[in-house]
Amino acid sequence: MGRGRGGLPAAWRPAFLNAPRARGRNRSQEVVIHAPEAWVLRSGATAGSHDGGPGGALCRDRFPFGPLEEGEALVEPILGSWEANMDHALTRSPIDVCSSRGEDSVVLGNLGVVRVLDVHRGGRDLPVREGDLCLLMPFGKRDRYDYAELAYAYDCPGTIGLLARRTKLDARLLLTVPDGTAYSLAQWATYGRYFTAWDNWHKAYGCWRTQVADDDPAGHLVFGWGGGVAFAELLLARRAGFRVAMTAGSDERLAFLRENGIIPVDRRRFPDLSLPGPRERADRDLHRRRRTSVKGFLELVDDLSEGHGASIFVDNIGEPLYDVTLAALAREGVVTTCGWKAGMRVSHLRGAESISRHIHVNTHVWRLPDSPGIRDFMEAEGWIAPKGSDVIYDFDQVPELADDYANGRIGSYFPLYRVNPL
């Protein structure tokens, strides 16, 4: 069977081109009202209370939207990737995205694989056509250098995410899956962690080289707290010649790291490593136990780095482990982050960081024009989620996925949700 653009078998295309529409004499006269089934997040001011975890904030409902405007595409989400920004939205921390956007309800989901059903070109030269399988680039508002200021289907007003059976979006945000790709759609649906890792790693590595220009990376350690983005970054670091290590809290994840050439560090060996919360600050015994865990962890980092500390530390956790990250960092080291999972407010001693010549790198998403190049590197080099490393929840199970993610019950670094069949 031949394959069309976007890796889609050409013989399948006609069945996908039946988007419901009331046609007039020309495109400008069409009146199209879509109301697909969706998981909707209501504003905190109107949603009311609910029992249970973050998944309880979602309401299954119809989400209406109007006709395609010029330059927009109607798409059918296939697989979505569950991201930390979705957890932040459901817990309304750091913001209530509905209130921030000035909208009563929103549909989340800004990374995943979609199938293009219709495109309103309006004379424009657009990068996709009906039937393509595409990756959604999560750019809402961009700055003058094409970095994201507001994220699509998060804090950017008027954007509709992938937690809907159908949605419409700016066709320029769609990047086709490589034609005849060697990888499954589930592997491609994890791309958000890889695209983010690509940008963050290259910025961090470039900063490190400004101070350590000539040393062989083989004599240096790159360390990461556990997570899918950190995993992808450490694979890039290993390609660059660094020694790489990462924490994990289960036998399954430790084995996964080992299989992929990353030194696994059992987080369970250091049970009290996290900074106590406000209610625990007066617990002296907890502080004593934490000092023991921190001491043991820093000794391990010293062993892995020949006593120098981590040259680059990937920390996407935030406040609970930030002081440990800085303590584990080598002189002329780089601490790099592209988000946070458990606390975005951090503090440090500027004098100590200056004397140690530590560089702090903070990035968000990536640069939109870099997207095709990152995709092509993934395809050519096999830098993509290993086959079978994902876990997929059905559309009916989305609230369960939200709760499992928030409570650390997912063994995979790549949780996905299925919206429509292929």
Side-chain angles (χ1 to χ4, degrees), residues 57-71:
L58 289 168
C59 174
R60 194 164 183 166
D61 203 351
R62 295 284 175 177
F63 191 86
F65 58 87
L68 294 184
E69 303 292 336
E70 184 176 313

Side-chain angles (χ1 to χ4, degrees), residues 44-384:
T46 61
S49 60
H50 64 83
D51 296 328
L58 289 168
C59 174
R60 194 164 183 166
D61 203 351
R62 295 284 175 177
F63 191 86
F65 58 87
L68 294 184
E69 303 292 336
E70 184 176 313
E72 289 186 329
L74 179 70
V75 302
E76 185 176 52
I78 306 299
L79 287 170
S81 176
W82 195 266
E83 303 290 331
N85 68 68
M86 300 169 79
D87 181 67
H88 296 160
L90 297 184
T91 58
R92 309 188 194 279
S93 175
I95 59 172
D96 182 328
V97 294
C98 299
S99 298
S100 175
R101 290 166 51 152
E103 298 167 3
D104 291 334
S105 58
V106 302
V107 175
L108 304 170
N110 51 20
L111 291 164
V113 178
V114 305
R115 178 166 48 219
V116 179
L117 299 176
D118 195 9
V119 184
H120 186 351
R121 300 187 183 280
R124 297 188 187 185
D125 182 18
L126 298 174
V128 296
R129 66 189 183 196
E130 291 85 350
D132 281 349
L133 288 173
C134 298
L135 312 176
L136 169 59
M137 302 294 103
F139 292 77
K141 179 183 177 183
R142 285 174 280 157
D143 66 18
R144 57 180 175 164
Y145 302 114
D146 280 322
Y147 290 105
E149 281 191 73
L150 298 177
Y152 182 92
Y154 180 69
D155 56 354
C156 184
T159 54
I160 309 167
L162 304 185
L163 281 177
R165 298 291 191 182
R166 288 184 177 183
T167 186
K168 70 169 185 172
L169 44 81
D170 186 336
R172 295 171 298 178
L173 300 181
L174 294 175
L175 181 67
T176 55
V177 174
D179 186 34
T181 178
Y183 305 104
S184 69
L185 286 190
Q187 287 174 285
W188 277 112
T190 68
Y191 69 94
R193 287 165 168 79
Y194 283 78
F195 278 51
T196 300
W198 174 276
D199 181 76
N200 189 251
W201 167 251
H202 283 88
K203 302 303 183 289
Y205 176 69
C207 287
W208 181 72
R209 275 304 191 194
T210 64
Q211 299 197 113
V212 185
D214 302 317
D215 268 21
D216 184 349
H220 294 265
L221 173 70
V222 176
F223 199 98
W225 300 124
V229 175
F231 170 77
E233 287 200 49
L234 293 187
L235 294 182
L236 289 176
R238 186 164 64 87
R239 284 172 174 266
F242 288 89
R243 190 180 313 143
V244 295
M246 180 168 152
T247 59
S250 69
D251 293 342
E252 177 185 0
R253 286 189 171 184
L254 291 168
F256 178 74
L257 296 179
R258 189 177 295 108
E259 291 166 2
N260 286 278
I262 297 172
I263 299 169
V265 174
D266 193 340
R267 178 70 167 78
R268 296 168 297 188
R269 291 176 53 190
F270 316 104
D272 300 297
L273 205 55
S274 294
L275 187 71
R279 296 181 180 180
E280 305 166 312
R281 297 281 164 84
D283 188 337
R284 293 185 178 182
D285 184 59
L286 180 55
H287 283 281
R288 178 189 59 78
R289 297 198 308 270
R290 185 175 194 250
R291 287 193 294 271
T292 300
S293 285
V294 171
K295 180 175 182 293
F297 176 76
L298 295 179
E299 288 173 349
L300 181 143
V301 172
D302 277 349
D303 288 343
L304 294 175
S305 62
E306 300 176 351
H308 298 295
S311 293
I312 300 177
F313 203 122
V314 183
D315 180 356
N316 289 326
I317 301 298
E319 182 183 18
L321 295 172
Y322 186 64
D323 61 331
V324 183
T325 295
L326 296 183
L329 202 59
R331 286 188 56 81
E332 293 82 35
V334 174
V335 56
T336 188
T337 179
C338 48
W340 75 96
K341 186 175 181 180
M344 67 174 183
R345 294 186 181 275
V346 296
S347 62
H348 57 254
L349 297 174
R350 182 176 291 185
E353 293 305 285
S354 298
I355 292 169
S356 296
R357 296 193 66 93
H358 287 167
I359 295 177
H360 295 241
V361 173
N362 299 281
T363 66
H364 179 231
V365 194
W366 58 91
R367 187 169 173 266
L368 183 58
D370 294 339
S371 303
I374 304 173
R375 174 203 58 190
D376 294 345
F377 178 85
M378 292 175 68
E379 176 71 32
E381 300 297 327
W383 180 64
I384 197 168

Side-chain angles (χ1 to χ4, degrees), residues 1-55:
M1 181 180 290
R3 299 183 75 86
R5 292 173 70 248
L8 186 66
W12 294 2
R13 293 186 64 250
F16 304 147
L17 308 183
N18 299 319
R21 196 159 54 217
R23 295 187 179 274
R25 287 178 299 173
N26 56 52
R27 186 66 183 248
S28 64
Q29 293 176 321
E30 293 175 3
V31 177
V32 190
I33 300 298
H34 300 273
E37 183 183 25
W39 286 107
V40 179
L41 175 67
R42 311 266 184 218
S43 169
T46 61
S49 60
H50 64 83
D51 296 328

